[in-house]
Amino acid sequence: MRNNYLNFLVLLFSTAMFSQAGHIMQGVGSVNMSMGGAATAQPLDISGALHWNPATISAFDETTLKFDIGFFFSSPELRSTVPEFDTGGQPTGNFFSGVTEDDRGVSPLPALAFVWSKEGSKHTFGASAFGISGFGVTFPESTTNPINLPQNQGGFGRIESDYSLLQVGFTWAYELSDKFSIGLQPTANYASLELIPNPTANPNQSGYPSTDNASAIGFGGQVGLFFDSGSGFKVGASYKTSQYFGDFELDNTYLDGSTATNEFNIDYPAILSLGLGYSLGNVDMAVDYRFVDYENTDGFSETGWTPTASVSGFGWENINIISAGIQYKGVDKLPIRVGYTYSSNPINDDVAFFNIPATAIIKNAFQLGLTYEASERFSLDAVFHYGDSGDATSGPVLNPQFMPNFPPYGAIPGSEISYDMTTSMIMVGASYTFIK
């Protein structure tokens, strides 16, 4: 029977929910998304400027309000293979494999930005509220995929998660000269989290518990530099500090009805951005490079099992992101943009199991967008995004009971877990510039 195949897996299936907790959205707002997120040295709109380089808001001489809303779809698939065992606990030589598709719906992605300045002043101010990270997956309980078997049969049962991170920033930029600006931006963050089940808690005889929704507050900041040569060439650099959060206090309910609490800390990683921009006639071009420091971020720098079979962390490696975009303004009142984003994978094979289903891992993203300039003051924006994870992320199924014979994490011989996904999004926005 299948419950005999997997009884020894009751204590595993760790961080199935947190695979997007460090997800870096490649852009904010319709315009910035359509440029692949590139904005560190090419401030085409206030949302991208506020998010990626606070110094660049000095390029805006008028007071502007911008709002965007995106509708995000993802299609992750979770596959697993484990060896079958007889009633004596010996491998039969056969394997049990299956796949589960996510059946979650649409997730909203909002962005609100405001920049104001005074004519003749070297100071520019801004405020923003962006959804910069979030995920939600629902893999139903299944009798055909080992990892989604009920917990009393050795699987993880239904895998469901909800995570969101809202960041609020207040920005100041100062023009040191007509070509060079600096910017500062303190940030405050609110994150919420719900897990079914919760692998960061200690399991009991019935398995891992589920959590109620929990929240945490975090703080950080960003500094930026921006140089505009005045002849089309632009350079920018910014550094976002880690967003330091308090612990999530998770209230857990086990399958046997007992309750307990645990705390888990997960921060948002520091990001270094370097950018180049060039504008000539009807063409604006931008390229950004970003370095994301997961290896020094709480929740990601640790990895592996605790002595009580909970999960200590996710073991993500630092990643590199390249964003590029081009805007063509040759069509009257209808600028058109194309963008591309590349991201490396923070998850190596050894810890793939600790990051099921890792739906944040998008290797290639493509964007197409445009703006309709309805008037001198009012414009409408739209973008379509498509992304894929490239090759599937995969690795062995892990069990802490196997660690003595298969260090460091207890890989089960002949087993495999893998996941990949595609994403798509439609985002629309509106921008209004106030008359002074």
Side-chain angles (χ1 to χ4, degrees), residues 83-86 90-95:
E84 295 182 357
F85 291 80
D86 59 26
Q90 299 300 312
T92 65
N94 298 321
F95 293 88

Side-chain angles (χ1 to χ4, degrees), residues 140-271:
E141 187 172 281
S142 171
T143 58
T144 60
N145 189 0
I147 196 169
N148 291 120
L149 287 174
Q151 289 203 51
N152 62 9
Q153 296 181 26
F156 227 176
R158 178 183 179 86
I159 296 175
E160 186 171 353
S161 62
D162 281 289
Y163 176 85
S164 62
L165 195 164
L166 173 68
Q167 183 172 92
V168 176
F170 299 94
T171 305
W172 167 72
Y174 181 74
E175 296 179 53
L176 295 174
S177 70
D178 60 349
K179 296 182 179 180
F180 188 67
S181 302
I182 61 172
L184 299 174
Q185 182 189 70
T187 53
N189 307 268
Y190 173 84
S192 63
L193 173 68
E194 185 175 6
L195 298 174
I196 302 174
N198 175 17
T200 71
N202 300 330
N204 68 8
Q205 293 297 320
S206 66
Y208 288 94
S210 300
T211 73
D212 293 332
N213 189 276
S215 61
I217 301 295
F219 299 94
Q222 183 177 197
V223 297
L225 303 172
F226 177 54
F227 174 79
D228 186 345
S229 68
S231 60
F233 181 72
K234 307 164 192 175
V235 181
S238 70
Y239 178 74
K240 287 178 177 286
T241 70
S242 179
Q243 306 298 307
Y244 298 98
F245 280 86
D247 292 341
F248 284 106
E249 297 181 0
L250 302 173
D251 294 323
N252 302 307
T253 302
Y254 290 85
L255 295 176
D256 60 8
S258 61
T259 60
T261 61
N262 79 291
E263 295 181 348
F264 187 74
N265 180 260
I266 185 167
D267 292 337
Y268 192 79
I271 305 173

Side-chain angles (χ1 to χ4, degrees), residues 122-141:
K122 293 181 178 294
H123 303 271
T124 307
F125 302 92
S128 58
F130 298 141
I132 64 169
S133 179
F135 69 90
V137 298
T138 303
F139 289 115
E141 187 172 281

Side-chain angles (χ1 to χ4, degrees), residues 22-25 40 51-52 132 167 221-223 237-243 268-274 289-294 297 319 321:
H23 178 53
I24 306 300
M25 292 298 295
T40 306
H51 186 56
W52 291 121
I132 64 169
Q167 183 172 92
Q222 183 177 197
V223 297
S238 70
Y239 178 74
K240 287 178 177 286
T241 70
S242 179
Q243 306 298 307
Y268 192 79
I271 305 173
L272 172 67
S273 297
L274 304 173
Y289 164 78
R290 307 194 207 289
F291 174 80
V292 183
D293 185 13
Y294 283 119
T297 302
I319 65 170
I321 300 173

